[in-house]
Amino acid sequence: MKITRLILPFALLVILTSPALAAPDVKSLMNQQGCFSCHAVDQKMVGPSFKQVAARYRGKKGSLSMLAKKIISGGNGHWNDLTGGMMMPPHPDLKPSDAKAIAQWVLSLK
């Protein structure tokens, strides 16, 4: 019984800190995907700033899923006034959970 009480917290710590369960390093992931080549946090570049995206979609029902899907499949038409019709390229190899983490980070910006 005493061994179980000692081992259980340790086992839980190992499980919770394993890389498979750890949240992705979002900015590193975004660098790998080239997001910062076209977007900046607070100024328009080729695409809208991440703060502009957050302001447009934050609090809207389904925005997290929509943005995650858009990150994977690419997009066009939502920001023509800023981009001159430039299309965001798709990221088809990005895991849905990683796309969701990126979208969540973007939506958290104020």
Side-chain angles (χ1 to χ4, degrees):
M1 186 73 136
K2 286 184 180 182
I3 293 174
T4 304
R5 273 193 247 160
L6 292 174
I7 294 175
L8 187 59
F10 179 74
L12 205 58
L13 180 66
V14 169
I15 291 169
L16 292 175
T17 58
S18 92
L21 297 176
D25 178 4
V26 175
K27 286 188 178 180
S28 180
L29 184 60
M30 292 171 75
N31 275 325
Q32 291 170 2
Q33 295 298 316
C35 301
F36 293 109
S37 298
C38 296
H39 300 276
V41 172
D42 57 3
Q43 61 184 343
K44 181 212 170 293
M45 289 178 53
V46 174
S49 75
F50 291 124
K51 285 186 177 183
Q52 287 175 303
V53 174
R56 183 176 284 188
Y57 296 112
R58 187 184 312 106
K60 292 187 178 177
K61 185 177 180 178
S63 62
L64 180 62
S65 296
M66 183 274 298
L67 288 174
K69 191 175 187 181
K70 193 68 74 177
I71 291 167
I72 292 171
S73 63
N76 194 12
H78 294 275
W79 295 90
N80 282 344
D81 54 324
L82 291 177
T83 65
M86 182 73 87
M87 181 179 168
M88 186 178 94
H91 300 88
D93 297 331
L94 189 63
K95 293 187 295 188
S97 60
D98 288 343
K100 186 176 179 181
I102 292 170
Q104 214 161 19
W105 180 82
V106 170
L107 290 170
S108 75
L109 297 173
K110 295 186 182 198

